[in-house]
Amino acid sequence: MWQDRAACVGMDSRIFLSGVTSRVNIAKAVCASCPVIQECLAFAIRNEDFEPHVYGGMTGVERKRLAGV
């Protein structure tokens, strides 16, 4: 599965599940080097996950805007 190849595997999930700006910036930096960033982003949008955590290098607000919701 694509999730097994993600750069965030084994990392503290609190980095990605927080709306705290400093953590969001760290999460986005991890995502930027991730080989499956597109799959992750597509997964979140397909599942209408617009919560404030970071998926595919984007926050929920950013994903929602991209999805046109």
Side-chain angles (χ1 to χ4, degrees):
M1 294 187 75
W2 64 264
Q3 293 95 332
D4 298 330
R5 300 187 326 270
C8 60
V9 170
M11 294 187 75
D12 185 345
S13 62
R14 291 178 292 183
I15 294 169
F16 300 89
L17 302 178
S18 169
V20 177
T21 302
S22 61
R23 288 185 181 172
V24 167
N25 291 338
I26 292 168
K28 285 184 171 191
V30 171
C31 292
S33 67
C34 185
V36 295
I37 188 172
Q38 294 302 319
E39 291 92 334
C40 185
L41 180 58
F43 174 83
I45 291 173
R46 186 173 52 251
N47 289 289
E48 297 181 356
D49 187 337
F50 304 118
E51 296 298 318
H53 47 266
V54 175
Y55 258 120
M58 294 185 168
T59 64
V61 170
E62 292 166 335
R63 290 190 305 276
K64 192 171 188 175
R65 190 177 313 129
L66 181 67
V69 178

